[in-house]
Amino acid sequence: MPPKGKKGAPAGKGKPKKIDKEEEERRAREEEEARLRAEEEERERKEKEKREAEERRRLENEERTRRKAQLLELNSITESNETQLLNIHDNRRKKAKWARYMRCDGSPDPTIPGEINTYMNLWREDNERVTIDQVLKDSDLALALISELQFLLDDTPANEITEAEAERYGTTQNDLQDLLHEKLLRAEHELLLDSADRADPQTMNLQTVIENDLVSLCVWGNISKNPRIKYFEFADKGIGFDIPKLLTMTDCAVCFLFTKFDHFSQKCKSFLPRQKKKIVEEVEPPVVEEEEKTDGEEEKKEGEGEEEGGIEREETEDVMASLRKLDDDDEDKKEEEEVKVEEPEEEELVDDGDIKTPGRSRHRKVSEPPEWEDFDGDEDVYDMRAYCVQGGLFHFNLLHMPPQPKNAKTWVMRQVVEPPMISHIEYMADTVNPALIQQQEDNNKEGEEGEVKAVKEEGKKRDERPPIGVSMKLPGDVVFNEEPQLGRWDYEQNVWRMDGFTDIVYNEDNRVVQFKTAFYGTMSLLSDTHINMPFQSWELRPRGMNHAQLTVIAAINECEIEIKDDKCCLNLPEEGAVEQLEHLRNKWMIPRDFIKAMRDSGVNIFPSEDSPKYVSIQSKNVITEERLYQQMALTSSAMAYSWSKWNAEVADNEKIVFQGAECLKDQHLLEEEWALFLVTKKRSMKLKMTEFEEAFSDDYAEGTNFHADMYHMVLELASEDALTRIRESSFKFIDCVNQLLTGTKLVTYS
């Protein structure tokens, strides 16, 4: 037993201190191990970064060594293709000129003033062929001559046509268009002269439709003067219109003249883009007064010079970075210089990036993107750069009914007017707003009844000359992706105006638009030119040798363009196809005609030069973008390309990011088969990252090299079969693909 009065020591006394000490030692060991591990990881990271930096420098040095050879080879290929294309087009133009010279069908040559002027004068003075059927037949030749002149303006190289010739062709076009419109009006007049012979036996009014492929004439003539007729419809054409009570007792006729061509819009001031003229202000350089250097300043300068001699040399990495920066600056300056286009001598070299390559000089001034003038019309006038006419024009005219022939026994008496011309009835509806009457009454509660009475009288006039209700079915060969806009032609100002229309109702299911107009005259349906921009995605996929398919998912429409040799066509699925595009199904055309046909059909995926003014785009370096399209076309028989979300998210406009993969079978690729490519004006490389990474990184893929252009990067990655396809691709096919890629500008508009 323990001694009395002393308590025994508690069990385990002294162990907590021991445990704490062991815990501290363990923590210290763990911290030391963590520190050593962190130091090791940091050392490994630095070594890895150093190895990667050395590897990148090695690749950059190798790329610099290869750059000249690669650019020389690419330049040789593109020049060879361009030379062959130029020869083909030159021969085609020569054959066309000879064929036109040898043509013996009586049609005049629109480029020879004597011939075309004689033709127009004879047609204008011809009083024999004046019926609508004869004029429609003669109009085919006039339209062919107009198209021939337009083709010459678009197809002839700038060095083969003078400004005077181009201006003369344009003037001849306008004269032919005006003469054609004049002859159509004369034909309407001749038709109205024989209204009684064409009268409907039931209504005793003239109601007839005469048409060909490009022109339709619908005429209603008021012969019976039946006040019960308030509305008439050309059921076959889907056209209906109101007949105001005022006109039911008048010798009048209503004519709808539909033309699938538009000869008015080009007269608008806003039809062509207008680039802003940059005003350069001359600023006198500031006068710097030289001060006498003091002895102390001179000593300081000498001391600074001695210190400079003692500065240590920079590391190799910094030197290389500085050299690369200088090279980039030099290239930027070279690309911004404007060089005159000349045929170089045999030893002349053409600047291409940072090397000199022999060949044809094809330079342009590339500095800041051009700025375009803002539309300066009033708010009721359409900007024809933002809107375009769809489906042609319709001339909705109210005409005087000429005196009809009278039969007297065996004689037919007809009034002859010289010169014979059509007579329009001036009609402008009173558009007084009924709400104005109530407003005027509220503002004149103190007994000023005179103004209220005047407004009510104006309202009564409105009932006498009300707006004309019109119902019209949209053209069956034009796509309207939204409610069409209505425009009326102002002959004085030569603009399309949007005022004068009320109560517009659009039935999308039946494709019928109803409206009321305060005026008769020339009208049109317009739509937003850039409604399909920007695009959601795109893909260019090979389908065989000299055979590819370009898919563009635009803002509204999806387009599949099949490309084969030097032509292309629109692919439409068997189910769910847009009915209005059936006339383009499997219709093979050269790219220029295809682009025009798509625009005329209401599916515009081909931006204009000033479209960035109306569409938010991802601006990229112009030269880099054009070269990319060219090299994509060179490899399009074996390589598939697609859009990348990173192209829009990369802020640097010098970097273009897209997806690519080898594709030798006519089938869609899987997601894991695609790789990311990065292209700048100095370098092309395959990236280590994929499309589905969370953040962008420009680290290159291991086992790959840097190249001066995308073409040689593809050659390094491609298989032997793919290389065979690329090298054997037809220059016509390459040019066709390049035209479509350049026309859609997929890189910047997706």
Side-chain angles (χ1 to χ4, degrees), residues 381-485:
V381 173
Y382 283 102
D383 177 5
M384 297 310 293
R385 301 305 303 168
Y387 291 88
C388 58
V389 172
Q390 296 290 345
L393 310 181
F394 58 101
H395 305 269
F396 182 34
N397 294 323
L398 179 63
L399 308 174
H400 283 286
M401 181 74 76
Q404 298 300 302
K406 294 182 180 181
N407 297 325
K409 296 183 180 181
T410 60
W411 295 85
V412 178
M413 294 182 291
R414 184 191 305 271
Q415 181 178 358
V416 178
V417 179
E418 292 294 341
M421 64 175 58
I422 201 164
S423 178
H424 292 263
I425 297 177
E426 294 296 332
Y427 184 98
M428 184 175 67
D430 193 328
T431 56
V432 172
N433 188 353
L436 183 62
I437 299 177
Q438 184 63 37
Q439 180 181 358
Q440 194 68 34
E441 290 177 347
D442 295 341
N443 295 338
N444 294 274
K445 292 181 180 179
E446 297 181 358
E448 299 179 4
E449 299 179 356
E451 296 183 8
V452 177
K453 185 177 180 180
V455 173
K456 287 184 177 181
E457 290 178 356
E458 291 294 328
K460 291 180 181 179
K461 291 181 181 179
R462 185 174 185 270
D463 294 334
E464 295 178 0
R465 302 175 72 90
I468 310 301
V470 179
S471 176
M472 182 171 63
K473 191 173 182 63
L474 300 184
D477 57 354
V478 179
V479 176
F480 286 90
N481 293 308
E482 62 178 357
E483 179 179 340
Q485 306 294 313

Side-chain angles (χ1 to χ4, degrees), residues 660-675:
E662 183 176 308
C663 181
L664 300 180
K665 296 181 180 180
D666 187 8
Q667 60 185 19
H668 291 281
L669 298 172
L670 301 176
E671 291 181 351
E672 57 269 18
E673 296 183 81
W674 292 97

Side-chain angles (χ1 to χ4, degrees), residues 20-31:
D20 293 343
K21 186 175 181 181
E22 291 177 354
E23 182 68 19
E24 290 177 0
E25 291 177 354
R26 184 182 64 79
R27 290 178 180 175
R29 285 196 303 272
E30 290 178 352
E31 291 176 357

Side-chain angles (χ1 to χ4, degrees), residues 119-186:
Y119 163 76
M120 288 191 291
N121 290 332
L122 291 176
W123 193 28
R124 183 179 289 108
E125 297 171 0
D126 186 359
N127 293 319
E128 299 295 329
R129 298 180 59 82
V130 293
T131 65
I132 184 62
D133 295 315
Q134 292 170 332
V135 170
L136 289 181
K137 186 175 181 179
D138 294 341
S139 66
D140 292 338
L141 176 57
L143 291 171
L145 295 174
I146 293 171
S147 299
E148 184 177 350
L149 287 170
Q150 187 62 47
F151 179 80
L152 289 173
L153 290 171
D154 296 337
D155 185 66
T156 308
N159 59 343
E160 295 184 15
I161 185 172
T162 64
E163 293 185 4
E165 289 176 332
E167 185 178 357
R168 190 177 75 245
Y169 293 172
T171 302
T172 303
Q173 268 188 314
N174 293 332
D175 293 342
L176 282 169
Q177 292 166 359
D178 293 341
L179 179 56
L180 174 60
H181 188 62
E182 178 185 328
K183 297 298 287 188
L184 288 172
L185 292 178
R186 170 71 187 275

Side-chain angles (χ1 to χ4, degrees), residues 373-600:
E373 290 187 7
D374 295 329
F375 177 60
D376 56 359
D378 60 52
E379 59 182 8
D380 290 329
V381 173
Y382 283 102
D383 177 5
M384 297 310 293
R385 301 305 303 168
Y387 291 88
C388 58
V389 172
Q390 296 290 345
L393 310 181
F394 58 101
H395 305 269
F396 182 34
N397 294 323
L398 179 63
L399 308 174
H400 283 286
M401 181 74 76
Q404 298 300 302
K406 294 182 180 181
N407 297 325
K409 296 183 180 181
T410 60
W411 295 85
V412 178
M413 294 182 291
R414 184 191 305 271
Q415 181 178 358
V416 178
V417 179
E418 292 294 341
M421 64 175 58
I422 201 164
S423 178
H424 292 263
I425 297 177
E426 294 296 332
Y427 184 98
M428 184 175 67
D430 193 328
T431 56
V432 172
N433 188 353
L436 183 62
I437 299 177
Q438 184 63 37
Q439 180 181 358
Q440 194 68 34
E441 290 177 347
D442 295 341
N443 295 338
N444 294 274
K445 292 181 180 179
E446 297 181 358
E448 299 179 4
E449 299 179 356
E451 296 183 8
V452 177
K453 185 177 180 180
V455 173
K456 287 184 177 181
E457 290 178 356
E458 291 294 328
K460 291 180 181 179
K461 291 181 181 179
R462 185 174 185 270
D463 294 334
E464 295 178 0
R465 302 175 72 90
I468 310 301
V470 179
S471 176
M472 182 171 63
K473 191 173 182 63
L474 300 184
D477 57 354
V478 179
V479 176
F480 286 90
N481 293 308
E482 62 178 357
E483 179 179 340
Q485 306 294 313
L486 291 162
R488 63 180 182 88
W489 182 253
D490 188 332
Y491 283 88
E492 295 182 358
Q493 299 183 14
N494 286 338
V495 294
W496 286 109
R497 302 190 63 85
M498 60 184 71
D499 55 346
F501 301 99
T502 57
D503 301 336
I504 302 174
V505 178
Y506 176 51
N507 188 324
E508 186 175 0
D509 296 332
N510 297 328
R511 290 175 54 83
V512 173
V513 60
Q514 297 176 331
F515 60 92
K516 290 185 178 181
T517 173
F519 307 91
Y520 289 90
T522 299
M523 302 178 187
S524 65
L525 301 173
L526 299 97
S527 62
D528 185 354
T529 303
H530 305 93
I531 192 173
N532 260 313
M533 305 174 199
F535 313 137
Q536 299 182 46
S537 63
W538 60 270
E539 179 183 302
L540 176 65
R541 177 173 60 86
R543 300 191 61 185
M545 188 66 185
N546 296 325
H547 191 186
Q549 178 174 294
L550 175 62
T551 302
V552 180
I553 300 179
I556 297 178
N557 303 115
E558 179 177 348
C559 303
E560 288 187 0
I561 306 171
E562 188 171 358
I563 310 166
K564 199 168 185 179
D565 297 327
D566 61 341
K567 291 183 174 61
C568 57
C569 74
L570 181 66
N571 271 346
L572 292 176
E574 295 297 331
E575 297 181 0
V578 181
E579 181 181 352
Q580 291 75 34
L581 298 177
E582 281 293 332
H583 64 289
L584 296 180
R585 181 195 290 272
N586 299 329
K587 185 177 180 181
W588 292 91
M589 295 174 276
I590 62 174
R592 177 173 54 198
D593 295 342
F594 177 79
I595 292 173
K596 183 180 184 302
M598 289 288 286
R599 285 174 170 169
D600 292 343

Side-chain angles (χ1 to χ4, degrees), residues 335-351:
E335 289 180 344
E336 291 176 2
E337 293 178 356
E338 186 175 11
V339 182
K340 295 182 179 179
V341 179
E342 298 176 343
E343 279 294 328
E345 299 177 358
E346 293 183 359
E347 298 182 358
E348 184 179 352
L349 298 178
V350 179
D351 185 8

Side-chain angles (χ1 to χ4, degrees), residues 30 47 76-77 83 129 231 236 346 415 618 672 682 685:
E30 290 178 352
E47 290 178 357
S76 176
I77 294 172
T83 301
R129 298 180 59 82
Y231 182 83
D236 294 340
E346 293 183 359
Q415 181 178 358
Q618 304 297 327
E672 57 269 18
K682 294 281 291 181
M685 71 178 94

